[in-house]
Amino acid sequence: MQNIVPMTRPILELRPGQHLTLTPQLQQSIRLLQLSTLDLEAEISQVLAENPLLDREDESPSAEAQAESERESSVQDDEPAAERETPVDEMPGSGGVYPDDDSSLPEAARPDTLREHLLGQLALTRAAPRDAGLASLLIDELDENGYLGSPLEEILGWLPAELEPDIDELRAALSLLQSFDPVGIGARDMAECLQLQLRNPDLARLPEAADATVLACARQICAQHLPLLATGNAARLCAAVGCDEATFRAAHSLILRLEPRPGRAWTVPAAEYAVPDVIVRKTRRGWQVTLNSAAVPRLQINGLYAQMLGNQKESAHAGLQAQLQQARWMIRNVEQRFDTILRVSQAIVERQTAFFSQGPAAMRPLILKDIAGELGLHESTISRATTQKYMLTPFGTLELKRFFGAGVSTEGGDATSATAVQTHIRQMVADENRAKPLSDSQIMQKLADQGIVIARRTVAKYREALRIAPAALRKAQASAR
């Protein structure tokens, strides 16, 4: 008897699963929050040029102009989105923001930012969409010097759980970013930045790099002995590396040719471009924060087009209906951006009252988690709301990030912030004898004399965070001048 095997039929099966889906509105909200004021202005200018449904409040047409437009629209019903000319808006300290299509301006009037420069290279790669998205996220986390501002583990914690992020994926995205120009971009500290440059094949054109022994010595110094290099003790460093003095001198000369700040070429001095988002003033009720009206774009829906769409069937102008929704999103997200910045700023001021009365040396310990918990927001939101956002204070215009720092104990038992300690270190280096710069050990002793007792290794960590070169490099740079 034969066994009859039933034939299987193809079936359509639905399987539940979770996929990361960020709505366009949420994506725009996140993006606008992380932009600086000038980048936001450029973004809005581009949207104004592309979307006829969005206007600035001060660009609202008069009643006569609206009537004239209505008469024209009855004749040109098929062309409701007439071309509009985007005005040039002058901002304090910004030099103006110009539309991309203004051919009368020289090319240098709108130089690429570091972010645009890197995204342009990312677009030329064949990276998968997920890898490109992670690399783009890392680009947004770079500081003005081109360093990765947050540890990969911390960035991993910011990503939605439903994305199922993996630390190895982030490492791969970072490797991709670190392959871009300028060499050294995406480093997490100065040692890694210099090592990336020493692995660059183009380095071979330098005479010092032609010698493999010298190159290996330079790589070992940057990887393991930068603090020792800062002491200027050549004999001890030669013993640690295992090289002769001539090799060390050549390696030292090679290191001096490297760029410790890869993003320098795209960095404009803060005094030239930093527009304060918020202003702090002393009132009878204490220190109060207000938004800088010059930095807040005033947007509105174009009334004429909105009225036209209200009188037509939705299907007749589907494209304009979509642009109307996008305009509403833009207005709502811009308002939400500045509301978040204002709330975060006020919370910072309430925590850092001593700073506004006494100055940077009185900065108290503060971490993102403190503000996040107080406002009921995620730490990543606080990070975006404080990066490249500026506050006008009695002591100058400061980035909101400057108000955060871990606690450091003092001899009196009180805690001071890392930011306050960095302020002391910055001032010491500014006042030092350039021919005899202070070593980390000497800075440590000077801090101890002021009651701030920290290890020399911690001094080196804070000095690197301030992008201050080791004493040996500062001395060599002073001699070169």
Side-chain angles (χ1 to χ4, degrees):
M1 182 176 179
Q2 287 184 325
N3 292 328
I4 300 176
V5 180
M7 296 181 62
T8 59
R9 297 180 181 178
I11 61 173
L12 182 63
E13 182 180 1
L14 295 178
R15 295 182 180 179
Q18 286 188 332
H19 301 280
L20 177 66
T21 303
L22 293 178
T23 65
Q25 183 179 4
L26 181 57
Q27 289 177 335
Q28 184 186 69
S29 177
I30 294 172
R31 172 166 168 70
L32 294 184
L33 182 59
Q34 70 191 17
L35 293 178
S36 68
T37 297
L38 295 184
D39 288 339
L40 174 67
E41 182 64 25
E43 180 98 354
I44 290 175
S45 294
Q46 181 176 350
V47 175
L48 285 168
E50 296 173 351
N51 191 338
L53 273 298
L54 187 66
D55 274 337
R56 293 186 187 273
E57 284 188 4
D58 56 357
E59 294 174 13
S60 180
S62 64
E64 293 79 3
Q66 287 197 16
E68 180 64 24
S69 298
E70 289 175 359
R71 288 193 295 270
E72 292 179 0
S73 66
S74 63
V75 179
Q76 301 176 351
D77 194 39
D78 294 333
E79 299 179 2
E83 291 185 5
R84 297 185 298 121
E85 187 172 333
T86 303
V88 176
D89 295 313
E90 196 72 15
M91 294 184 62
S94 71
V97 178
Y98 304 97
D100 294 339
D101 58 350
D102 193 339
S103 58
S104 64
L105 295 173
E107 189 67 23
R110 279 292 305 274
D112 283 348
T113 62
L114 177 60
R115 181 178 183 276
E116 291 169 343
H117 179 68
L118 296 172
L119 288 177
Q121 296 175 71
L122 178 61
L124 297 176
T125 67
R126 295 184 177 179
R130 182 180 174 98
D131 296 331
L134 291 175
S136 176
L137 175 67
L138 296 182
I139 289 173
D140 287 334
E141 289 300 318
L142 297 179
D143 63 19
E144 68 276 7
N145 293 315
Y147 284 77
L148 188 64
S150 304
L152 289 179
E153 292 75 15
E154 182 177 331
I155 296 174
L156 184 67
W158 297 346
L159 298 175
E162 57 266 30
L163 181 60
E164 298 181 357
D166 184 270
I167 189 66
D168 291 330
E169 287 183 302
L170 274 182
R171 292 193 182 108
L174 180 60
S175 296
L176 175 63
L177 172 58
Q178 290 179 344
S179 69
F180 292 169
D181 173 76
V183 184
I185 200 71
R188 285 157 285 191
D189 53 37
M190 186 181 295
E192 184 177 24
C193 177
L194 299 180
Q195 290 176 74
L196 288 170
Q197 295 176 60
L198 289 171
R199 292 202 294 264
N200 181 26
D202 292 342
L203 199 71
R205 70 179 186 276
L206 298 179
E208 297 91 344
D211 190 324
T213 304
V214 172
L215 184 58
C217 179
R219 288 173 175 169
Q220 189 174 353
I221 291 173
C222 291
Q224 304 173 16
H225 303 294
L226 278 183
L228 182 55
L229 179 64
T231 66
N233 192 330
R236 186 178 168 193
L237 201 147
C238 287
V241 177
C243 68
D244 55 41
E245 186 173 352
T247 301
F248 163 70
R249 296 297 178 191
H252 189 194
S253 176
L254 177 58
I255 293 172
L256 289 176
R257 289 176 174 266
L258 304 179
E259 174 55 79
R261 296 170 53 195
R264 187 199 302 263
W266 288 266
T267 301
V268 180
E272 294 184 17
Y273 80 92
V275 178
D277 297 86
V278 294
I279 300 172
V280 180
R281 297 183 177 91
K282 184 69 175 293
T283 69
R284 293 180 180 178
R285 295 179 297 172
W287 296 98
Q288 298 294 319
V289 184
T290 57
L291 289 172
N292 178 13
S293 59
V296 181
R298 300 187 179 278
L299 303 174
Q300 65 179 11
I301 300 296
N302 183 291
L304 172 61
Y305 284 115
Q307 182 180 1
M308 288 173 54
L309 289 175
N311 297 331
Q312 300 288 336
K313 291 183 179 180
E314 220 173 278
S315 58
H317 297 285
L320 285 179
Q321 290 286 354
Q323 288 182 309
L324 176 61
Q325 186 62 54
Q326 291 168 3
R328 287 171 175 163
W329 286 350
M330 174 62 77
I331 293 173
R332 189 177 301 117
N333 286 333
V334 168
E335 291 175 350
Q336 183 179 344
R337 173 190 187 273
F338 282 97
D339 178 67
T340 301
I341 292 172
L342 181 61
R343 291 178 62 204
V344 170
S345 299
Q346 186 63 57
I348 290 173
V349 170
E350 291 171 359
R351 297 282 189 124
Q352 297 287 10
T353 304
F355 162 81
F356 294 95
S357 302
Q358 304 169 38
M363 196 86 78
R364 306 303 299 168
L366 183 65
I367 58 176
L368 296 176
K369 187 176 181 180
D370 296 335
I371 303 298
E374 179 178 334
L375 300 180
L377 299 172
H378 196 278
E379 287 181 48
S380 62
T381 300
I382 306 301
S383 177
R384 291 186 177 94
T386 55
T387 300
Q388 295 187 64
K389 314 301 185 301
Y390 294 88
M391 176 184 289
L392 180 59
T393 77
F395 301 95
T397 300
L398 304 178
E399 186 180 15
L400 296 185
K401 283 283 190 187
R402 287 279 301 277
F403 292 94
F404 292 88
V408 177
S409 299
T410 65
E411 279 187 344
D414 297 328
T416 186
S417 71
T419 303
V421 177
Q422 290 175 353
T423 300
H424 287 296
I425 293 175
R426 184 188 291 108
Q427 190 59 50
M428 289 177 187
V429 172
D431 296 340
E432 70 184 1
N433 182 346
R434 294 183 181 274
K436 296 181 179 180
L438 297 171
S439 66
D440 292 341
S441 297
Q442 291 171 320
I443 293 175
M444 178 188 70
Q445 184 58 52
K446 283 180 172 290
L447 289 172
D449 293 342
Q450 299 180 32
I452 303 173
V453 181
I454 59 175
R456 182 196 59 78
R457 186 179 303 172
T458 306
V459 172
K461 174 185 173 182
Y462 289 164
R463 175 181 51 74
E464 290 179 1
L466 293 168
R467 310 298 185 223
I468 297 175
L473 293 181
R474 301 202 305 274
K475 183 176 181 179
Q477 291 168 353
S479 301
R481 294 190 186 100

